[in-house]
Amino acid sequence: RTPAAVAKWRIEERYTPDADGHHVRLEVVTDAGDAAAEEMRNRLAQVDRAKLQDQYRDFYGKRFKNVRVAEPMQVRDDAASNHVVVTETYDLGDPWQDLDGGVHMIDTEADQIENFIRMPEGEGNHYPVAIGYPVEAEQRIVLELPKGWNWGGESLHKSVEAPGLSYSLTTGRKDSEVSFVHAYHSTAAWIDGKDTGRYVDALRQVNELVSRRFLVTRDGDQLSRDDRLSRLVK
């Protein structure tokens, strides 16, 4: 295989709330390189651009109840470097779920990674399993915190290694940005029957990590300790 045979996916999903959080700008930049670029070109050639925009918007509409296209989808095809970059921009209206204690939450999904971690059929039969190979995928999900906003999570790094796959999750905050970075590599074209049990166990672990929540509080919204205890009692 040549280096160009690798399907390289780089996705950045960026959430930018306004000061009160009632509106959130969501920008999704998908950079498909080498074999992934060919896949993206085929998709763009087979589906009308307006219809594809609707499909992408509807995808986020399943997660958020109020999604509006803020800017038309942009496509940049760089044949020299063999990259196709697609940029989507949406306005989300009140996408937060409110929890006790003045905590606001947004659920996120590393959907590009999920494409490569589906459970194989015939689980438990110890048959060889073919997987997408070679694939390198990174999905970075970012929340920009306005002034006076606080992140309620913690920094961590977790990795999962098994025959056929390598995955890592890194979360943390730098300045006003909170990020979840998911990285997946397939390391073989197929899984030998004797290794399918370990492979499936690894898929289960990854599936538990690709769904993450941004938990935030805002100055002035946090309840006092007595108020929280009162709510819990009620």
Side-chain angles (χ1 to χ4, degrees):
R1 295 179 184 269
T2 66
V6 180
K8 298 178 180 177
W9 297 94
R10 299 288 183 271
I11 298 92
E12 180 168 289
E13 190 173 313
R14 180 174 291 270
Y15 296 83
T16 307
D18 58 12
D20 60 14
H22 290 310
H23 293 277
V24 177
R25 176 63 62 97
L26 170 60
E27 184 179 75
V28 184
V29 180
T30 302
D31 184 342
D34 297 333
E38 299 301 330
E39 181 179 335
M40 182 63 79
R41 288 190 185 99
N42 289 337
R43 187 183 307 171
L44 292 167
Q46 293 173 11
V47 182
D48 177 76
R49 191 68 56 85
K51 185 177 181 180
L52 189 62
Q53 171 82 84
D54 289 341
Q55 291 176 357
Y56 286 169
R57 181 201 59 210
D58 291 347
F59 173 82
Y60 290 102
K62 294 177 181 178
R63 192 186 307 169
F64 305 108
K65 62 183 178 182
N66 189 353
V67 180
R68 183 181 66 84
V69 175
E71 297 178 10
M73 181 175 67
Q74 300 178 18
V75 178
R76 178 170 58 84
D77 190 340
D78 187 343
S81 65
N82 201 18
H83 277 256
V84 177
V85 180
V86 177
T87 302
E88 308 159 61
T89 309
Y90 306 98
D91 279 331
L92 310 180
D94 283 320
W96 308 93
Q97 299 180 51
D98 294 332
L99 305 178
D100 284 343
V103 177
H104 308 282
M105 176 186 77
I106 282 184
D107 283 325
T108 71
E109 297 281 342
D111 51 278
Q112 188 63 49
I113 306 296
E114 289 176 330
N115 291 333
F116 307 113
I117 58 171
R118 297 188 176 98
M119 289 291 180
E121 296 181 6
E123 183 182 340
N125 290 328
H126 302 290
Y127 296 147
V129 176
I131 63 176
Y133 175 81
V135 171
E136 297 178 5
E138 179 181 286
Q139 186 158 356
R140 187 170 183 261
I141 304 175
V142 180
L143 172 65
E144 295 188 13
L145 295 174
K147 185 177 180 180
W149 288 43
N150 310 287
W151 178 43
E154 60 181 2
S155 299
L156 63 84
H157 179 81
K158 293 188 176 182
S159 60
V160 178
E161 304 286 339
L165 72 83
S166 174
Y167 165 86
S168 69
L169 165 67
T170 303
T171 74
R173 175 177 178 174
K174 183 177 181 181
D175 299 326
S176 63
E177 289 189 357
V178 179
S179 63
F180 304 150
V181 181
H182 306 263
Y184 166 91
H185 292 174
S186 61
T187 58
W190 55 281
I191 310 301
D192 191 274
K194 64 181 175 58
D195 293 323
T196 56
R198 292 171 58 197
Y199 175 69
V200 168
D201 286 344
L203 290 182
R204 289 196 182 99
Q205 294 179 57
V206 177
N207 271 285
E208 291 178 357
L209 294 171
V210 292
S211 299
R212 311 298 301 174
R213 286 177 169 175
F214 287 123
L215 297 172
V216 300
T217 57
R218 295 176 292 189
D219 292 350
D221 285 352
Q222 300 180 60
L223 298 176
S224 70
R225 179 175 179 273
D226 289 342
D227 288 336
R228 291 197 298 271
L229 288 174
S230 177
R231 283 195 177 190
L232 287 172
V233 169
K234 289 180 181 180

